[in-house]
Amino acid sequence: MQLRNDLRNIAIIAHVDHGKTTLVDAMLKQSHIFRDNQTVVERVLDSNELERERGITILAKNTAVTYRGIKINIVDTPGHADFGGEVERVLNMVDGVLLLVDAVDGPMPQTRFVLRKALELGHKAVVVINKIDRPNARLNHVANATFDLFIDLGATDEQAEFPIVYTDALLGRATLTPSLGGTDLQPLFETILNYLPAPQVEPDKPAQLLVTTLGYDDYKGRIAIGRLFAGTLHPGQPVARIAHDGNVTTGKIAQLFVHQGLERVEVPEAAAGEIVAITGLPEIYIGETVADIEHPNPLPPIRVEAPTVRMAFGVSTSPFAGREATWGTSRKLRERLFKELESNVSLRVEETESPDTFIVSGRGELHLVILIETMRREGYEFQVSKPEVIYREENGETLEPVEEVYIEVAGDFLGVVMEMLGGRRGQLKEMHTADDGSVHLQYFVPTRGLLGFRSKFLTATRGTGVMHALFHGYLPLAGGIETREHGSLVAWESGVATNYALHNAEGRGILFIGPGTEVYEGMVIGEQAREGDIAVNVCKKKHMTNVRSSNEDIAVRLTPPRIMSLDETIEYVSEDELVEVTPKSYRIRKKILGTEDRHKAAAARDRVTRTETA
């Protein structure tokens, strides 16, 4: 083994909104990646439109800077546990990590997941305490809390002796002593070079490359990205592709790239330790090994935790199907879902007995919602069912996924939050009051108890509560959970909703639509105030009469409808409902559209239940 002292491979770990992408911006600018007069957008690594809208990192990305002649490959990791598949594979590419924490909040729950994975791989960490300019910064408290986190996660003595760098990423400043204001990021760069190890390589051995990310180019085709663990690669070199099952096929590298700044730069050769991108292997997948053709030795495959939540994706059977989308057939839906498997390693897609329906499993509700949102923006139309958890059977006992839930709430709302979690089989593990009077709770809650919980939690805390959940493991089934307390208002007939009819309907609950909205029979147009569904006629018009009224010119005033996001819509649906998704809209509908057909199905279920009880 040799050390490549001219290279560092690092990943950046941070909780959502702690400034990770902003810090990468500053590192790129101060390493003179951009021209002096070049216009650069903020958060350049959040290149995905959804990432910019939601302010989170979804996809892992590679970039590189050069400092004092030493190249630093930087991998930006997602901060949310639902995208853990991205995290688990990119950490295989690096030798150390930067742990970025907020100077006020300190290490947060989503930090734990990624840091645990890094420590398990033996990576050392540099702790970066960011936003030190905030007036209520608690630098000593945050440093102590971070050390406690390392110990809780089982860090070795060497890993726990981490250096701390204090930064203001927005201004591009870093310092090793908080009382002395920095002028640039030089202290951070120096700490990276001095503390994080150089890659250990075997340059004289046969080539071995583990594919961890896939890209695509209209001209170059599929691009395989990964770390070269041994040997060298060059364009035109014959290589062996070793699949997950050990099957070996041959191919040839067409082009070879390394990362420099935000660009991929074509190079004539790459040596062991470098993170490279290659083209010319159209059938390659994540987790496969590209090896020397004469010595095809595979690397250990990437292990990713199994999915915990699944949904049914199907061809839209709505009366409005085909109006707003480019793609809506089962063939196109199948192609798109299986194409997603090429890059989304923690996703699973299964075919069903029906050619129009597919079961899609992911790491969490958000994981699947992001896929749905991405597909609808690409022009797809389809329908999805309510998310449901994936159970396991072990030794004759049914196990279910359980989440570790961290909640921060004002003392005024503590009672209602604890009551809500108790009803969802939550078990309180820890509770303490912070300096500002807020209460911090740690719960173990079954994943099915959290489906649809977030929006109710925000309503109960008037938008002030903060909640984060991490997958804990599989535990014995906790018992029954009632997650839906209200029924739905369902359209009785097809047509256009009128002001007069909606005014009569809003006395039954909360409306989701306004006047002038086109509806169809079986479409959910609101939430009932009580349990059970009610079919309402929202298309009825006021009959004309020859009786004059002094109030006839006064317009009916309606309460503004509740406009739900896609996340809230999927949280809302019940077992007998579907979400119809199109590029322009999404609607909730009953699985059985006909009102009489639903009544007959309900009566049949009741007869079966009475028979089984008897």
Side-chain angles (χ1 to χ4, degrees):
M1 285 282 191
Q2 299 179 20
L3 288 178
R4 274 199 65 175
N5 290 313
D6 63 334
L7 188 64
R8 297 291 188 277
N9 296 321
I10 66 171
I12 298 189
I13 298 171
H15 185 78
V16 176
D17 199 35
H18 277 196
K20 166 168 51 74
T21 312
T22 305
L23 180 65
V24 176
D25 281 2
M27 294 174 73
L28 288 167
K29 290 172 183 175
Q30 293 193 21
S31 59
H32 305 294
I33 291 296
F34 308 114
R35 300 189 311 272
D36 291 340
N37 63 343
Q38 184 172 346
T39 302
V40 182
V41 297
E42 291 185 357
R43 298 184 290 123
V44 288
L45 279 190
D46 281 351
S47 53
N48 184 301
E49 185 180 353
L50 273 176
E51 292 178 318
R52 289 188 173 278
E53 288 181 13
R54 292 173 176 257
I56 62 174
T57 300
I58 297 170
L59 304 172
K61 302 172 199 68
N62 298 77
T63 184
V65 301
T66 302
Y67 177 76
R68 286 201 296 129
I70 298 175
K71 182 179 181 182
I72 304 174
N73 282 314
I74 302 171
V75 182
D76 187 21
T77 63
H80 200 288
D82 277 17
F83 308 107
E86 295 280 321
V87 171
E88 289 167 351
R89 55 193 170 94
V90 299
L91 287 177
N92 285 278
M93 290 196 290
V94 301
D95 305 290
V97 297
L98 292 186
L99 174 63
L100 190 71
V101 295
D102 189 284
V104 175
D105 299 334
M108 297 285 281
Q110 301 294 356
T111 309
R112 299 177 66 95
F113 171 77
V114 191
L115 182 60
R116 182 190 296 123
K117 297 294 180 185
L119 295 176
E120 287 173 357
L121 290 171
H123 294 332
K124 296 168 71 175
V126 171
V127 173
V128 179
I129 299 180
N130 190 33
K131 303 185 183 181
I132 59 172
D133 58 314
R134 294 179 66 175
N136 51 348
R138 305 178 296 169
L139 303 184
N140 289 334
H141 170 80
V142 169
N144 293 333
T146 305
F147 178 78
D148 293 341
L149 175 62
F150 272 72
I151 300 303
D152 290 344
L153 297 179
T156 64
D157 291 344
E158 186 180 17
Q159 288 174 326
E161 294 178 1
F162 50 80
I164 298 178
V165 181
Y166 303 89
T167 62
D168 180 352
L170 209 55
L171 297 179
R173 298 174 179 174
T175 176
L176 300 179
T177 307
S179 58
L180 301 175
T183 57
D184 56 25
L185 292 179
Q186 181 180 347
L188 175 60
F189 284 122
E190 293 288 348
T191 306
I192 291 172
L193 299 187
N194 294 333
Y195 182 74
L196 296 182
Q200 293 185 335
V201 298
E202 298 176 305
D204 300 326
K205 285 200 169 184
Q208 283 181 306
L209 168 71
L210 182 65
V211 179
T212 52
T213 309
L214 289 180
Y216 186 81
D217 185 274
D218 290 336
Y219 302 101
K220 302 181 181 71
R222 191 173 297 183
I223 302 171
I225 303 167
R227 175 171 169 172
L228 184 58
F229 283 87
T232 58
L233 292 177
H234 56 81
Q237 178 179 343
V239 291
R241 179 174 70 89
I242 308 173
H244 295 281
D245 57 4
N247 185 39
V248 179
T249 55
T250 58
K252 182 185 289 187
I253 296 176
Q255 292 172 292
L256 178 66
F257 302 88
V258 298
H259 296 90
Q260 188 60 44
L262 301 174
E263 306 293 329
R264 292 194 188 110
V265 180
E266 191 168 358
V267 292
E269 186 177 76
E274 183 65 89
I275 295 175
V276 301
I278 60 174
T279 63
L281 302 174
E283 301 298 324
I284 196 155
Y285 288 95
I286 287 173
E288 296 185 344
T289 301
V290 176
D292 185 83
I293 196 165
E294 296 180 0
H295 304 86
N297 300 319
L299 288 162
I302 298 171
R303 287 184 171 83
V304 177
E305 290 181 7
T308 57
V309 177
R310 65 187 175 196
M311 299 172 71
F313 282 52
V315 175
S316 178
T317 56
S318 160
F320 293 170
R323 294 187 180 186
E324 302 175 349
T326 306
W327 315 111
T329 64
S330 60
R331 182 173 64 86
K332 283 294 183 182
L333 180 62
R334 183 185 186 280
E335 283 179 6
R336 178 61 182 84
L337 289 174
F338 279 92
K339 181 177 175 59
E340 184 70 18
L341 295 179
E342 297 177 6
S343 56
N344 201 335
V345 295
S346 52
L347 199 74
R348 302 286 184 273
V349 179
E350 304 168 43
E351 298 189 72
T352 65
E353 295 179 357
S354 169
D356 295 341
T357 305
F358 305 88
I359 301 299
V360 182
S361 307
R363 290 288 289 271
E365 206 171 0
L366 182 61
H367 187 197
L368 297 176
V369 167
I370 291 295
L371 172 62
I372 293 168
E373 181 66 37
T374 302
M375 288 176 62
R376 70 183 283 259
R377 294 188 182 201
E378 294 173 358
Y380 287 87
E381 177 181 21
F382 50 97
Q383 61 191 25
V384 297
S385 69
K386 176 183 176 64
E388 60 180 32
V389 301
I390 301 172
Y391 298 100
R392 285 184 184 175
E393 292 285 340
E394 288 186 13
N395 302 322
E397 186 177 24
T398 302
L399 305 181
E400 66 174 332
V402 173
E403 308 279 333
E404 203 170 333
V405 181
Y406 296 84
I407 286 178
E408 180 183 343
V409 67
D412 296 344
F413 305 116
L414 178 61
V416 66
V417 170
M418 294 185 72
E419 182 181 354
M420 291 169 65
L421 287 169
R424 291 170 181 257
R425 302 285 179 174
Q427 297 181 14
L428 179 64
K429 294 299 177 183
E430 186 179 326
M431 179 173 70
H432 67 272
T433 304
D435 297 338
D436 58 358
S438 62
V439 182
H440 293 244
L441 306 169
Q442 180 183 349
Y443 270 87
F444 283 163
V445 186
T447 302
R448 61 194 169 100
L450 291 178
L451 298 178
F453 175 74
R454 190 177 298 272
S455 58
K456 291 182 173 60
F457 168 76
L458 290 174
T459 301
T461 61
R462 298 179 186 174
T464 61
V466 178
M467 184 185 98
H468 301 287
L470 296 174
F471 175 65
H472 174 70
Y474 274 83
L475 296 176
L477 200 63
I481 296 176
E482 187 64 45
T483 57
R484 179 85 174 262
E485 300 170 356
H486 302 279
S488 296
L489 299 177
V490 187
W492 176 279
E493 64 179 5
S494 301
V496 178
T498 65
N499 214 5
Y500 171 72
L502 289 176
H503 178 65
N504 293 331
E506 72 173 356
R508 301 294 189 102
I510 301 171
L511 297 178
F512 298 159
I513 63 170
T517 304
E518 192 174 2
V519 301
Y520 54 81
E521 183 182 7
M523 176 174 158
V524 175
I525 56 92
E527 181 182 62
Q528 222 257 97
R530 298 187 178 92
E531 293 183 5
D533 298 333
I534 297 180
V536 293
N537 186 353
V538 293
C539 304
K540 182 169 58 176
K541 296 181 180 179
K542 185 176 182 180
H543 293 295
M544 302 292 291
T545 69
N546 61 356
V547 178
R548 292 176 179 269
S549 169
S550 60
N551 297 326
E552 63 181 356
D553 294 326
I554 299 177
V556 174
R557 296 183 181 274
L558 291 175
T559 304
R562 181 202 293 177
I563 306 300
M564 295 192 291
S565 66
L566 179 61
D567 307 54
E568 293 168 334
T569 303
I570 289 174
E571 282 188 358
Y572 174 83
V573 293
S574 65
E575 287 78 4
D576 65 337
E577 295 171 351
L578 298 169
V579 178
E580 172 195 350
V581 180
T582 77
K584 295 182 180 178
S585 57
Y586 37 85
R587 309 175 185 91
I588 304 173
R589 50 157 287 188
K590 290 293 180 180
K591 288 182 178 178
I592 302 174
L593 294 178
T595 305
E596 291 187 12
D597 294 337
R598 285 199 306 277
H599 291 161
K600 290 177 182 177
R605 285 195 302 271
D606 290 342
R607 284 196 298 271
V608 171
T609 302
R610 286 196 298 269
T611 303
E612 291 176 348
T613 304

